[in-house]
Amino acid sequence: MTWSAVLLVTAVVWAVSVIRSVRLRALVYSLPVPMTLALVTTGYRVDGAQLLGVLGLNLFFGTVAVTHQRLRWPILLADGAGIGGYLALSAGLVAVDVPFEAALASTLVLWVAAMLLRRRRARPFPVAPASAEGRNGLPVLLKLVVIFVGAILTALLGAVLRGMVVTFPYSGVLVAVEARHQLSEFTGHFARNSLALVAFLTAYHYVQDVSTAGALGAGWAAFAVVAAALHLPRRTPAA
């Protein structure tokens, strides 16, 4: 990735770090900014493997949440486990040719199943005390430096993934650190928002042979429509 791409990834992580609402954090993180940068700077096409890469993003956050919150691993070690899971999935996907329509159908079925399971098992999430973030927080300038260095390192790692670089969790590695006190809730919200990323990649795939700019425009439009639908106010039943 270019220096401008690294700076934009840094900006995304910084924005997430200053947002208090976990739901809004997950929405901002789900914006396909890193995907757009990867597609523009690498020239890779979007095929079935990249679509399944969205499942890899959910695998990443799920692994980090389980290892950090349940197994009590340090957050950086949990991040490493999440990256390992994504890399393992990517190695398998790169080695085979995944038909796009089959990948899309599988992804949608898994998303619906995950949302039904999440609703069935829904329960209040533990919320860290408000002072916890203050005690564990870094000074503003130091935090920005850490985010910037982390963005460079994850960009270098993502460069070895070939086509799977499109969905590599560049800023996710650092966002997981910022959201470490509410990882379970964040992971649930991101899983829901990932349908909008599926819409982005799907629209891009079907327009990419026309033009890259047109594909990006169609992708962002599809993302916006699905994201808006996912966040429409829910009607509560009358008493």
Side-chain angles (χ1 to χ4, degrees):
M1 296 180 74
T2 62
W3 281 107
S4 60
V6 170
L7 289 173
L8 278 173
V9 169
T10 302
V12 171
V13 181
W14 177 257
V16 171
S17 72
V18 299
I19 295 173
R20 295 292 184 182
S21 167
V22 179
R23 182 180 181 183
L24 185 55
R25 276 188 173 193
L27 177 60
V28 170
Y29 171 72
S30 69
L31 293 173
V33 173
M35 287 186 184
T36 298
L37 294 173
L39 289 168
V40 170
T41 58
T42 64
Y44 283 116
R45 292 175 56 83
V46 170
D47 292 311
Q50 286 74 38
L51 194 61
L52 293 178
V54 176
L55 300 180
L57 287 173
N58 284 283
L59 173 65
F60 167 79
F61 278 110
T63 302
V64 176
V66 169
T67 53
H68 179 61
Q69 293 192 323
R70 294 191 180 182
L71 303 183
R72 303 298 182 185
W73 288 16
I75 185 60
L76 295 180
L77 188 59
D79 252 342
I83 292 175
Y86 182 86
L87 292 177
L89 177 65
S90 297
L93 292 176
V94 168
V96 297
D97 183 20
V98 183
F100 187 85
E101 284 71 22
L104 179 58
S106 300
T107 302
L108 293 177
V109 168
L110 289 173
W111 184 85
V112 171
M115 292 303 100
L116 292 175
L117 180 62
R118 179 176 176 236
R119 177 176 296 183
R120 183 177 180 182
R121 301 177 60 181
R123 62 183 185 276
F125 289 97
V127 179
S131 58
E133 287 287 351
R135 290 195 303 267
N136 296 328
L138 296 174
V140 174
L141 291 179
L142 180 57
K143 178 184 287 188
L144 188 58
V145 170
V146 170
I147 291 173
F148 179 69
V149 172
I152 294 176
L153 294 177
T154 53
L156 293 175
L157 180 59
V160 305
L161 293 170
R162 290 187 285 175
M164 296 307 294
V165 72
V166 173
T167 51
F168 181 75
Y170 292 103
S171 54
V173 176
L174 302 163
V175 168
V177 176
E178 286 294 327
R180 62 192 179 277
H181 299 296
Q182 297 166 312
L183 265 176
S184 294
E185 185 178 1
F186 180 91
T187 300
H189 284 302
F190 175 72
R192 184 164 170 257
N193 293 334
S194 63
L195 182 63
L197 293 177
V198 172
F200 171 87
L201 292 173
T202 300
Y204 187 97
H205 171 79
Y206 286 112
V207 183
Q208 62 186 342
D209 290 331
V210 178
S211 74
T212 299
L216 288 174
W220 275 93
F223 175 89
V225 170
V226 174
L230 290 172
H231 290 81
L232 286 174
R234 297 181 181 179
R235 297 181 61 182
T236 56

